[in-house]
Amino acid sequence: MIHEDLSTLQLPSSNLEKKTEKFGNNIENSPELISVIINVYNGEKFIDKCLKSVVEQTYKNLEIIVVNDGSTDNTLNIVKTYKDERIRIINQNNMGLSLSRNVGIENAHGEYLFFVDADDFVTIDVIEYLYDIAKKKNVLISTCKTLVINNYNYTINQEPEKIELFTAREMIKKIFLSLDRAGSLWNKLIKKEVFNGIRFEDRVINDVVVVYKLYLQAETIAFGSRTTYFYLKHPDSITCRETEERTKDYYRGARERYEYLKKIYPNFWENEICMYFSTTDTYLLRNDNIRQFLKVEGALKYYNKIFKLRNMFHKMKFSNRIKYLLFRISPNLCLKIYKFCTER
């Protein structure tokens, strides 16, 4: 299936082929309200397509919360063109994505929450699909496959239908390996009770320091192989802005996560490897200001403190093994060798 012009796009259904198992049996028999939360700031280019994909969901018992975070463009007017009584608009002064998400959570009345970024869109049956999985597998979080697109010329290659159960630790490992968008808040149907005691902090990086805690609360997570979420990468998106502030917060968030998980899983070697990766890549791939920040932050001493030679015998790329060892010996020498190898 190839889509070209989103302005004339018929919203996709993930049900591209005849289902081997009928979904939706729980939908008709359940009155459970699901809150869809869309946080938007100056999203006039995308909000219409995003909102349309939510309004047309096959699961109808929705509360659609649009948190307009101080938009100065035509976003609000576009949202107001939708005459759907399920839509609630919350207007506020600009607070940033993290705190805006908290506003959405605290104003939600649904039993489940589903977040959609304003520049993304979903298949019209994503909520039905994830809700049915959550009920059949008796889990508090269900998630799906995501297609990352750079524009609206894309192809969907659906995999054979498969639903898998993962422990919290296994999902956190997926975060470390950047698999299945496990570290993102969106593309997941989450029981609201999972957010008890968990909120977003006012910081640049938010998913990094929150999603793994949701997994720990949920304990078991169901993953459906069907592609039902579409993540649009574009120059104006938050994740494409690699600022120094974002890089610093990324490192701090990674270190907070490492220390949090270390208390729960003392022998979680993947957690340690991920901290090696976060430190070395932040040092090697960024500029001198960031390297100075790492020194002031005590990152190099911290790396030496947590480094364990035995971790180098676990399965990993040979180049990473050499990088981590060399960085332990001398970060500056590691940087010189890295530059020599990449600039040739």
Side-chain angles (χ1 to χ4, degrees), residues 241-297:
R241 301 177 205 151
E242 288 296 338
T243 63
E244 288 190 5
E245 182 183 7
R246 183 177 178 83
T247 301
K248 291 176 181 178
D249 201 32
Y250 166 77
Y251 171 78
R252 288 173 174 149
R255 184 161 163 174
E256 288 171 23
R257 182 180 62 196
Y258 167 78
E259 293 176 350
Y260 191 98
L261 292 172
K262 186 70 174 175
K263 295 175 183 177
I264 300 171
Y265 305 121
N267 299 315
F268 194 2
W269 67 267
E270 291 95 342
N271 184 36
E272 296 179 346
I273 295 296
C274 186
M275 195 63 229
Y276 302 166
F277 173 84
S278 298
T279 305
T280 56
D281 275 37
T282 303
Y283 189 89
L284 298 176
L285 301 180
R286 307 305 174 191
N287 58 34
D288 288 340
N289 290 339
I290 295 300
R291 284 187 273 275
Q292 181 60 31
F293 156 77
L294 290 175
K295 292 176 183 178
V296 172
E297 199 79 1

